[in-house]
Amino acid sequence: MNRRDSLLAVLVAVLWGFNFVVIDWGLEERDGQSVPPLLLLAVRFVLVAFPAVFLLPRPKAPWRVIAAVGVFMSLGQFGLLYTSLAAGMPPGLAGLVLQAQVVLTIVIAAGVLRERPSRLQTVGVLAGALGLVVVALGRGGHVPVVALLLCLLAALSWAIGNVISRAAKVPGGLSLTVWSALVVPLPLLALSLVLDGPEGIREGVAAFGWEALVSTAYTVVLASFVGYGIFNSLLAKHPASSVVPWILLVPPVAIGSAWLLLGEVPSAGELAGGALLVLGALVAQGVVGLPRSGKGVATAPELIESVERR
């Protein structure tokens, strides 16, 4: 990846890292009422799809591919994530656990697409995975097992969606984001009706105040249009093992924003793990070099030249 694409990937990580606090804010109970998670998510994807679907041409991909991206990258990932947050998953930890998708994506892409990661990418991802473990061990408090499992399933769904998007190599990430959103709202509304009941839907609509509106606006415009538009475009241009390690930067942003805005003070273990996550992402992309046998560590000019070649 060249420098411009790397900076775009960092921007996506920042937008998505802050997204967890925004989602949790939209789901927060106020005056004894809250918006059901699947209902809030359905509203988000209605606004992602309409009216943009009338303004953007259909991506150059079969309908089955567009639908599969929507099912795994949007419906599965976010349906499970929102439900996990509503079940008690802290936003900062959710941002961490969801990044299991980085390892899962690279493993699935290696098996399905035969995209073998380089030595640097392998070392970087392993360092990032170690950072995930360190952060998880450094967290205090009790996390409901169901919430944790739902978040891990969300990571798996995202990883499958990444590989489908990469395999399709669809140019124009924004159009794929918008058109794939068409398959999301109706299943979410049906599930919300089953899980929350008609009364829960009515109460959720009544509880949809300005906070939920601002939360939805952020997730639609910045997280979906900007974030996934860029992300799908990068996956169309580069191997998954070159793109997804940058998303290891999401947990430090999620933990930092939860610290500043929600008072979730990180422990020493979380800070150490976050540093490992950042280091892993930088190593995977060649920004930080590894010792080369008999030659020491690569010099700064060599590293810059390497990054620019990418």
Side-chain angles (χ1 to χ4, degrees), residues 36 196 309:
D196 305 309
R309 282 200 305 268

Side-chain angles (χ1 to χ4, degrees), residues 29-247:
E29 184 175 304
R30 296 175 180 88
D31 299 324
Q33 292 185 316
S34 62
V35 183
L38 296 182
L39 177 61
L40 184 65
L41 185 58
V43 172
R44 168 182 175 176
F45 278 97
V46 166
L47 296 176
V48 169
F50 301 100
V53 73
F54 299 116
L55 305 175
L56 294 172
R58 201 192 92 184
K60 295 179 180 179
W63 274 111
R64 67 179 184 278
V65 171
I66 297 172
V69 170
V71 167
F72 287 102
M73 194 176 282
S74 298
L75 178 61
Q77 179 196 168
F78 289 109
L80 292 163
L81 173 62
Y82 275 52
T83 306
S84 172
L85 289 168
M89 192 72 172
L93 184 57
L96 162 72
V97 173
L98 197 61
Q99 298 323 307
Q101 65 86 20
V102 173
V103 177
L104 292 170
T105 297
I106 291 176
V107 170
I108 296 171
V112 175
L113 305 180
R114 299 292 187 264
E115 290 185 355
R116 306 294 182 184
S118 68
R119 174 172 170 260
L120 269 179
Q121 290 166 341
T122 301
V123 172
V125 169
L126 289 176
L130 178 60
L132 292 175
V133 174
V134 171
V135 175
L137 293 176
R139 288 196 65 92
H142 173 71
V143 176
V145 175
V146 172
L148 179 61
L149 290 176
L150 287 170
C151 200
L152 286 171
L153 288 173
L156 176 60
S157 185
W158 186 3
I160 295 171
N162 286 342
V163 174
I164 294 171
S165 178
R166 169 59 186 162
K169 297 182 180 179
V170 180
L174 182 57
S175 64
L176 181 60
T177 299
V178 169
W179 281 79
S180 66
L182 288 172
V183 304
V184 180
L186 287 180
L188 286 175
L189 287 171
L191 284 172
S192 184
L193 186 62
V194 170
L195 296 175
D196 305 309
E199 185 61 29
I201 297 292
R202 283 193 293 269
E203 292 177 357
V205 172
F208 203 96
W210 70 269
E211 297 93 346
L213 182 62
V214 171
S215 173
T216 301
Y218 182 96
T219 58
V220 169
V221 177
L222 296 178
S224 292
F225 286 159
V226 178
Y228 274 95
I230 293 173
F231 188 68
N232 284 324
S233 295
L234 293 177
L235 283 175
K237 293 170 58 179
H238 305 286
S241 56
S242 295
V243 179
V244 295
W246 281 116
I247 310 305

